[in-house]
Amino acid sequence: METRTKTRTIEDTVAMWTRDPDRARSVPTVTARVEDGQAAIQAGPFALRADLPAPLGGTNQAPSPTALLLSALAGCAVAFVYDTLGPQLGVRINGVEASARCAADARGLLGMDGAEPDLRDLAVDITVDSPDGEDAVAEVARVWQERCPIYLALRRPSDVAVSFRAA
């Protein structure tokens, strides 16, 4: 989609949601079930899978949930910067690359003494190819950190309601 068309679409969306804020609200829901020893995930019309490495009992035939979490962070960086922020802020963007990583100790998943299952030291490196220079990219970075829902969920986590029940 051409930048001018993206910009017009975003402007029309802002106008519509200003008139009717309820149209912007949603409750994204993802479901997962075990299928062939993996997590078969349904996210709206999209299907994906998750698996664990063999040492943790999985088959290592799909990305781990940790890799999917990091993918969400890197993917939000690329898609949100390229598709939304560049056009909205008037910054020309030729391309975006992102790499997300964390420190993990798989022993924590097995409940081994001295190891925590938490992910630590999350980081994302984002490279924006723009002819508009460092100041423009710095503004995109600032706004991304204010608005990216994945980054914000990781940075300022909220409570997660959990319910387990027997089938």
Short mmCIF file of all heavy atoms in Angstrom, two decimals, residues 60-99:
data_model
loop_
_atom_site.label_atom_id
_atom_site.label_comp_id
_atom_site.label_asym_id
_atom_site.label_seq_id
_atom_site.Cartn_x
_atom_site.Cartn_y
_atom_site.Cartn_z
N ASN A 60 9.83 -29.90 19.53
CA ASN A 60 10.63 -28.86 18.87
C ASN A 60 10.27 -28.72 17.39
O ASN A 60 11.12 -28.49 16.55
CB ASN A 60 12.13 -29.14 19.04
CG ASN A 60 12.95 -27.87 18.86
OD1 ASN A 60 12.53 -26.80 19.26
ND2 ASN A 60 14.12 -28.00 18.27
N GLN A 61 8.97 -28.83 17.10
CA GLN A 61 8.51 -28.72 15.71
C GLN A 61 7.87 -27.37 15.40
O GLN A 61 7.40 -27.16 14.28
CB GLN A 61 7.50 -29.84 15.43
CG GLN A 61 8.09 -31.23 15.54
CD GLN A 61 9.18 -31.47 14.51
OE1 GLN A 61 8.98 -31.24 13.32
NE2 GLN A 61 10.35 -31.90 14.96
N ALA A 62 7.84 -26.48 16.37
CA ALA A 62 7.27 -25.15 16.19
C ALA A 62 7.98 -24.21 17.16
O ALA A 62 8.64 -24.66 18.10
CB ALA A 62 5.76 -25.19 16.45
N PRO A 63 7.83 -22.90 16.96
CA PRO A 63 8.47 -21.97 17.90
C PRO A 63 7.95 -22.18 19.32
O PRO A 63 6.80 -22.55 19.52
CB PRO A 63 8.04 -20.59 17.38
CG PRO A 63 7.58 -20.81 15.99
CD PRO A 63 7.08 -22.21 15.91
N SER A 64 8.82 -21.90 20.27
CA SER A 64 8.42 -21.99 21.67
C SER A 64 7.52 -20.80 22.01
O SER A 64 7.53 -19.78 21.32
CB SER A 64 9.65 -21.96 22.57
OG SER A 64 10.23 -20.66 22.54
N PRO A 65 6.74 -20.91 23.09
CA PRO A 65 5.97 -19.74 23.52
C PRO A 65 6.87 -18.51 23.77
O PRO A 65 6.46 -17.38 23.47
CB PRO A 65 5.29 -20.22 24.80
CG PRO A 65 5.11 -21.70 24.58
CD PRO A 65 6.38 -22.11 23.86
N THR A 66 8.07 -18.72 24.26
CA THR A 66 9.00 -17.60 24.45
C THR A 66 9.34 -16.96 23.11
O THR A 66 9.34 -15.74 22.98
CB THR A 66 10.28 -18.07 25.18
OG1 THR A 66 9.92 -18.57 26.47
CG2 THR A 66 11.28 -16.93 25.33
N ALA A 67 9.61 -17.78 22.10
CA ALA A 67 9.91 -17.24 20.78
C ALA A 67 8.71 -16.49 20.21
O ALA A 67 8.87 -15.45 19.55
CB ALA A 67 10.34 -18.36 19.83
N LEU A 68 7.50 -16.98 20.48
CA LEU A 68 6.31 -16.27 20.00
C LEU A 68 6.15 -14.93 20.71
O LEU A 68 5.76 -13.93 20.09
CB LEU A 68 5.07 -17.14 20.18
CG LEU A 68 5.01 -18.38 19.29
CD1 LEU A 68 3.78 -19.21 19.62
CD2 LEU A 68 5.05 -18.02 17.81
N LEU A 69 6.45 -14.88 22.01
CA LEU A 69 6.40 -13.61 22.73
C LEU A 69 7.41 -12.62 22.15
O LEU A 69 7.07 -11.45 21.88
CB LEU A 69 6.68 -13.82 24.22
CG LEU A 69 6.72 -12.56 25.06
CD1 LEU A 69 5.31 -12.00 25.26
CD2 LEU A 69 7.38 -12.82 26.40
N LEU A 70 8.63 -13.07 21.92
CA LEU A 70 9.65 -12.20 21.33
C LEU A 70 9.26 -11.82 19.90
O LEU A 70 9.51 -10.69 19.46
CB LEU A 70 11.01 -12.89 21.36
CG LEU A 70 11.59 -13.13 22.75
CD1 LEU A 70 12.85 -13.99 22.66
CD2 LEU A 70 11.86 -11.83 23.49
N SER A 71 8.62 -12.74 19.19
CA SER A 71 8.13 -12.44 17.83
C SER A 71 7.09 -11.34 17.86
O SER A 71 7.06 -10.48 16.98
CB SER A 71 7.53 -13.70 17.19
OG SER A 71 8.50 -14.69 17.03
N ALA A 72 6.22 -11.37 18.86
CA ALA A 72 5.21 -10.32 18.99
C ALA A 72 5.87 -8.96 19.19
O ALA A 72 5.45 -7.96 18.60
CB ALA A 72 4.25 -10.64 20.13
N LEU A 73 6.91 -8.92 20.00
CA LEU A 73 7.61 -7.66 20.25
C LEU A 73 8.31 -7.16 18.99
O LEU A 73 8.14 -6.00 18.59
CB LEU A 73 8.60 -7.82 21.40
CG LEU A 73 9.40 -6.59 21.80
CD1 LEU A 73 8.49 -5.44 22.23
CD2 LEU A 73 10.39 -6.94 22.91
N ALA A 74 9.08 -8.02 18.35
CA ALA A 74 9.80 -7.63 17.13
C ALA A 74 8.80 -7.33 16.00
O ALA A 74 8.97 -6.36 15.25
CB ALA A 74 10.78 -8.73 16.71
N GLY A 75 7.76 -8.14 15.90
CA GLY A 75 6.77 -7.93 14.86
C GLY A 75 6.01 -6.63 15.03
O GLY A 75 5.72 -5.93 14.05
N CYS A 76 5.70 -6.27 16.27
CA CYS A 76 5.02 -5.00 16.52
C CYS A 76 5.95 -3.84 16.17
O CYS A 76 5.50 -2.83 15.64
CB CYS A 76 4.54 -4.90 17.97
SG CYS A 76 3.39 -3.53 18.24
N ALA A 77 7.22 -4.00 16.43
CA ALA A 77 8.16 -2.94 16.07
C ALA A 77 8.14 -2.71 14.57
O ALA A 77 7.97 -1.58 14.10
CB ALA A 77 9.57 -3.30 16.54
N VAL A 78 8.26 -3.77 13.81
CA VAL A 78 8.34 -3.65 12.35
C VAL A 78 7.01 -3.17 11.76
O VAL A 78 6.95 -2.19 11.02
CB VAL A 78 8.77 -4.99 11.72
CG1 VAL A 78 8.62 -4.97 10.22
CG2 VAL A 78 10.21 -5.30 12.11
N ALA A 79 5.92 -3.88 12.08
CA ALA A 79 4.64 -3.56 11.46
C ALA A 79 4.11 -2.19 11.90
O ALA A 79 3.65 -1.40 11.07
CB ALA A 79 3.62 -4.65 11.79
N PHE A 80 4.16 -1.90 13.19
CA PHE A 80 3.61 -0.65 13.71
C PHE A 80 4.41 0.55 13.20
O PHE A 80 3.83 1.57 12.80
CB PHE A 80 3.56 -0.70 15.23
CG PHE A 80 2.82 0.41 15.89
CD1 PHE A 80 1.63 0.90 15.39
CD2 PHE A 80 3.30 0.96 17.06
CE1 PHE A 80 0.93 1.93 16.01
CE2 PHE A 80 2.62 1.99 17.71
CZ PHE A 80 1.43 2.47 17.18
N VAL A 81 5.72 0.44 13.19
CA VAL A 81 6.55 1.54 12.69
C VAL A 81 6.31 1.76 11.20
O VAL A 81 6.06 2.88 10.76
CB VAL A 81 8.05 1.29 12.98
CG1 VAL A 81 8.94 2.22 12.18
CG2 VAL A 81 8.33 1.43 14.47
N TYR A 82 6.33 0.67 10.43
CA TYR A 82 6.23 0.80 8.97
C TYR A 82 4.81 1.16 8.52
O TYR A 82 4.62 2.05 7.71
CB TYR A 82 6.68 -0.49 8.30
CG TYR A 82 6.73 -0.39 6.80
CD1 TYR A 82 7.81 0.23 6.17
CD2 TYR A 82 5.71 -0.89 6.01
CE1 TYR A 82 7.87 0.34 4.80
CE2 TYR A 82 5.75 -0.79 4.63
CZ TYR A 82 6.83 -0.17 4.03
OH TYR A 82 6.88 -0.06 2.66
N ASP A 83 3.83 0.44 9.06
CA ASP A 83 2.46 0.60 8.57
C ASP A 83 1.74 1.81 9.16
O ASP A 83 0.88 2.39 8.50
CB ASP A 83 1.62 -0.64 8.88
CG ASP A 83 2.05 -1.84 8.07
OD1 ASP A 83 2.61 -1.67 6.98
OD2 ASP A 83 1.79 -2.98 8.54
N THR A 84 2.03 2.17 10.40
CA THR A 84 1.24 3.18 11.09
C THR A 84 2.03 4.44 11.43
O THR A 84 1.65 5.55 11.03
CB THR A 84 0.63 2.60 12.38
OG1 THR A 84 -0.09 1.41 12.07
CG2 THR A 84 -0.29 3.60 13.06
N LEU A 85 3.11 4.28 12.17
CA LEU A 85 3.79 5.47 12.68
C LEU A 85 4.47 6.29 11.59
O LEU A 85 4.41 7.52 11.62
CB LEU A 85 4.78 5.09 13.78
CG LEU A 85 4.16 4.51 15.04
CD1 LEU A 85 5.23 4.22 16.08
CD2 LEU A 85 3.09 5.44 15.61
N GLY A 86 5.15 5.64 10.67
CA GLY A 86 5.77 6.38 9.57
C GLY A 86 4.76 7.26 8.85
O GLY A 86 4.93 8.48 8.78
N PRO A 87 3.69 6.65 8.32
CA PRO A 87 2.69 7.48 7.63
C PRO A 87 2.03 8.52 8.54
O PRO A 87 1.83 9.66 8.14
CB PRO A 87 1.65 6.46 7.16
CG PRO A 87 2.41 5.18 7.03
CD PRO A 87 3.43 5.22 8.14
N GLN A 88 1.71 8.15 9.77
CA GLN A 88 1.03 9.09 10.66
C GLN A 88 1.91 10.28 11.03
O GLN A 88 1.43 11.40 11.14
CB GLN A 88 0.54 8.38 11.92
CG GLN A 88 -0.35 9.27 12.77
CD GLN A 88 -0.87 8.57 14.00
OE1 GLN A 88 -0.16 7.78 14.61
NE2 GLN A 88 -2.09 8.89 14.38
N LEU A 89 3.20 10.01 11.23
CA LEU A 89 4.12 11.08 11.64
C LEU A 89 4.77 11.78 10.45
O LEU A 89 5.57 12.69 10.64
CB LEU A 89 5.19 10.50 12.57
CG LEU A 89 4.68 9.87 13.86
CD1 LEU A 89 5.82 9.22 14.64
CD2 LEU A 89 3.95 10.90 14.72
N GLY A 90 4.48 11.33 9.24
CA GLY A 90 5.07 11.94 8.05
C GLY A 90 6.53 11.62 7.88
O GLY A 90 7.28 12.40 7.30
N VAL A 91 6.96 10.45 8.37
CA VAL A 91 8.35 10.03 8.24
C VAL A 91 8.42 8.98 7.14
O VAL A 91 7.71 7.97 7.18
CB VAL A 91 8.88 9.45 9.58
CG1 VAL A 91 10.30 8.94 9.41
CG2 VAL A 91 8.80 10.50 10.67
N ARG A 92 9.26 9.23 6.15
CA ARG A 92 9.44 8.26 5.07
C ARG A 92 10.26 7.08 5.58
O ARG A 92 11.34 7.28 6.13
CB ARG A 92 10.14 8.92 3.88
CG ARG A 92 9.29 10.01 3.23
CD ARG A 92 10.06 10.74 2.18
NE ARG A 92 11.16 11.48 2.85
CZ ARG A 92 12.18 12.04 2.22
NH1 ARG A 92 12.28 11.96 0.90
NH2 ARG A 92 13.12 12.68 2.89
N ILE A 93 9.73 5.90 5.42
CA ILE A 93 10.40 4.70 5.91
C ILE A 93 10.52 3.70 4.77
O ILE A 93 9.52 3.26 4.21
CB ILE A 93 9.65 4.10 7.12
CG1 ILE A 93 9.67 5.10 8.28
CG2 ILE A 93 10.27 2.76 7.52
CD1 ILE A 93 8.92 4.67 9.50
N ASN A 94 11.76 3.38 4.44
CA ASN A 94 12.03 2.40 3.38
C ASN A 94 11.98 0.97 3.90
O ASN A 94 11.67 0.05 3.16
CB ASN A 94 13.40 2.66 2.74
CG ASN A 94 13.45 4.01 2.08
OD1 ASN A 94 12.45 4.50 1.54
ND2 ASN A 94 14.60 4.65 2.14
N GLY A 95 12.32 0.79 5.16
CA GLY A 95 12.33 -0.54 5.75
C GLY A 95 12.57 -0.47 7.24
O GLY A 95 13.06 0.53 7.76
N VAL A 96 12.19 -1.55 7.93
CA VAL A 96 12.38 -1.66 9.37
C VAL A 96 12.81 -3.08 9.66
O VAL A 96 12.26 -4.03 9.09
CB VAL A 96 11.08 -1.36 10.16
CG1 VAL A 96 11.34 -1.41 11.66
CG2 VAL A 96 10.48 -0.03 9.76
N GLU A 97 13.80 -3.23 10.52
CA GLU A 97 14.21 -4.55 11.01
C GLU A 97 14.24 -4.50 12.53
O GLU A 97 14.57 -3.47 13.12
CB GLU A 97 15.61 -4.91 10.49
CG GLU A 97 15.65 -5.14 8.99
CD GLU A 97 17.02 -5.58 8.52
OE1 GLU A 97 17.88 -5.93 9.36
OE2 GLU A 97 17.24 -5.57 7.30
N ALA A 98 13.88 -5.62 13.16
CA ALA A 98 13.90 -5.68 14.61
C ALA A 98 14.38 -7.05 15.06
O ALA A 98 14.12 -8.06 14.41
CB ALA A 98 12.51 -5.40 15.18
N SER A 99 15.07 -7.06 16.17
CA SER A 99 15.56 -8.28 16.79
C SER A 99 15.23 -8.20 18.27
O SER A 99 15.60 -7.24 18.93
CB SER A 99 17.08 -8.40 16.58
OG SER A 99 17.58 -9.49 17.31
#
